[in-house]
């Protein structure tokens, strides 16, 4: 947890004791230090987080430390332990909220994650494929090596969602597991794997483009309704999107692909409303200072926020967006339903824990998914993971 101090006091950051005091600029009261987690160094999420952090330092005097982490569990652990306040996440935000995959274990369960700001820009999020494979369509990935990252349900489920466009399942490809996102993309360059999920503007994709292997982004034609129906069954948070930037992509050579907000700057719902309001307002008022800091950062503009997504916006962020003229009564009503969903999931998790669930990990997850489905059905809410 980040605390505000009225007087000088020591704060420990990564084992270092510092004397700091909060900075007051305009009517934004930011904490003196912030720790933010993100994907690996060089990725779009990390680079954008660094750009936002520099703005906060320059304009508000807040020291922001960005911690790279190779998977969703590693990115969220510091937030849950209150050693970090915000994370630049991907669709793992949704999986953690729902308590599925790696978050369906005894150690985790549904997490009350809420949005600050997220970006949808000229890029897309999809499977990048090594050009030397000769693959030009998703269906041609049958039998090919597809990268997975241990502990990262977002990357793995996203890869499966894109494969579904080509009517492929996990059993139709050869899964190669890696320890982190960065390691997976190094595997692409080293010819250890043929396809990996990413945003088109990620640094590693550019590295692959300039390597002997090259890169291609097999299209997801938007008029292929059946293909898109299959995508949404696996990844309900995806939507059709035309990419005009990224490795090998230009405005003159756009590609019909898919996308979802990334990076998603998110916090735990327990973070104080005033603190999240200050962070969000700083990001809104300081937008011009970081919008050109990294590819994709322009998508963080207040008027470009994805409305009515699958994870609620934190009340503090909603307050800042409302002040910016970018929040409506309809959004507020929709947001309240998403917050209610988090309450339903939290209650279901507590009740499941009291039911003497099995100790075996696989049996525990299976039991939880049944309890989760029953609770959502009773509340007349969609499951999302049938």
């Amino acid at each position: 947890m980040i605390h505000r101090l009225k007087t000088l006091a020591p704060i420990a950051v990564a084992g270092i004791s510092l004397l700091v005091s909060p900075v007051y600029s305009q009517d934004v009261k930011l904490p003196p230090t912030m720790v933010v987690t993100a994907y690996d160094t060089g990725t779009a999420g990390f680079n954008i987080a660094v750009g936002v952090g520099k703005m906060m330092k320059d304009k508000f005097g807040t020291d922001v430390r960005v911690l790279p982490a190779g998977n969703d569990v590693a990115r969220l652990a510091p937030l849950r332990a209150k050693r970090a306040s915000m994370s630049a996440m991907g669709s793992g935000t949704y999986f953690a909220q729902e308590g599925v995959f790696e978050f369906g274990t005894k150690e985790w369960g549904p997490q009350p994650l809420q949005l600050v700001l997220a970006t949808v820009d000229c890029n897309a999020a999809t499977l990048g494929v090594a050009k030397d494979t000769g693959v030009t369509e998703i269906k041609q990935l049958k039998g090919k090596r597809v990268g997975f990252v241990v502990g990262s349900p977002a990357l793995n489920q996203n890869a499966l969602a894109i494969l579904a466009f080509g009517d492929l399942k996990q059993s139709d490809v050869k899964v190669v597991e890696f320890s982190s996102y960065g390691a997976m993309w190094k595997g692409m360059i080293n010819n250890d794997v043929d396809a990996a999920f990413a945003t088109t503007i990620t640094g590693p994709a550019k590295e692959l483009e300039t390597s002997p292997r090259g890169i291609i982004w097999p299209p997801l034609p938007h008029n292929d309704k059946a293909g898109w129906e299959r995508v949404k069954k696996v990844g309900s948070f995806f939507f059709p999107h035309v990419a005009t930037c990224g490795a090998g992509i230009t405005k003159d050579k756009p590609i019909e692909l898919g996308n979802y907000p990334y990076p998603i700057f998110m916090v735990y719902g327990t973070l104080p409303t005033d603190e999240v309001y200050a962070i969000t307002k700083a990001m809104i008022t300081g937008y011009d200072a970081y919008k050109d800091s990294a590819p994709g950062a322009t998508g963080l503009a207040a008027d470009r926020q994805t409305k009515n997504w699958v994870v609620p916006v934190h009340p503090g962020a909603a307050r800042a967006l409302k002040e910016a003229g970018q929040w409506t009564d309809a959004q507020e009503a929709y947001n309240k339903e998403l917050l209610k969903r988090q309450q339903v999931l939290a209650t279901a998790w507590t009740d499941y824990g009291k039911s003497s669930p099995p100790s075996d990990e696989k049996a525990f997850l299976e039991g939880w998914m049944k309890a989760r489905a029953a609770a959502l059905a009773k509340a007349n809410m969609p499951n999302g993971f049938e």
Side-chain angles (χ1 to χ4, degrees), residues 112-116 267-277 280 311-321 327 335 339:
L113 307 184
Q114 297 172 16
L115 308 185
V116 177
V267 296
Y268 268 76
T270 51
L271 205 62
T273 298
D274 287 347
E275 189 164 328
V276 179
Y277 165 76
T280 311
V311 176
V313 176
H314 191 286
R319 176 180 155 198
L321 286 166
W327 191 258
N335 210 52
L339 291 170

Side-chain angles (χ1 to χ4, degrees), residues 254-268:
I255 306 177
E256 290 189 352
L257 293 168
N259 209 1
Y260 58 85
Y262 172 77
I264 299 164
F265 284 91
M266 46 66 53
V267 296
Y268 268 76

Side-chain angles (χ1 to χ4, degrees), residues 63-87:
D63 288 314
V64 178
R65 184 184 180 196
V66 181
L67 298 179
N71 60 52
D72 297 319
V73 170
R75 269 184 292 284
L76 281 182
L79 272 72
R80 189 174 67 164
K82 299 182 180 179
R83 293 195 298 268
S85 56
M86 184 166 68
S87 181

Side-chain angles (χ1 to χ4, degrees), residues 98-185:
E98 299 295 312
V100 297
F101 303 119
E102 278 83 344
F103 297 105
T105 63
K106 294 178 185 178
E107 294 77 18
W108 284 93
Q111 302 296 301
L113 307 184
Q114 297 172 16
L115 308 185
V116 177
L117 293 179
T119 180
V120 173
D121 203 22
C122 55
N123 56 296
T126 188
L127 282 173
V129 181
K131 199 170 184 178
D132 63 8
T133 61
V135 169
T136 57
E137 299 178 73
I138 295 296
K139 63 182 180 182
Q140 294 172 346
L141 284 171
K142 186 171 185 178
K144 300 295 185 182
R145 301 168 297 174
V146 177
F148 271 33
V149 174
V150 176
S152 186
L155 291 171
N156 304 340
Q157 191 71 6
N158 292 351
L160 292 174
I162 302 303
L163 286 172
F165 184 88
D167 204 13
L168 299 177
K169 298 180 177 63
Q170 183 172 335
S171 58
D172 294 316
V173 299
K174 298 174 183 175
V175 170
V176 181
E177 291 190 330
F178 295 89
S179 61
S180 70
Y181 174 87
M184 177 173 67
W185 276 86

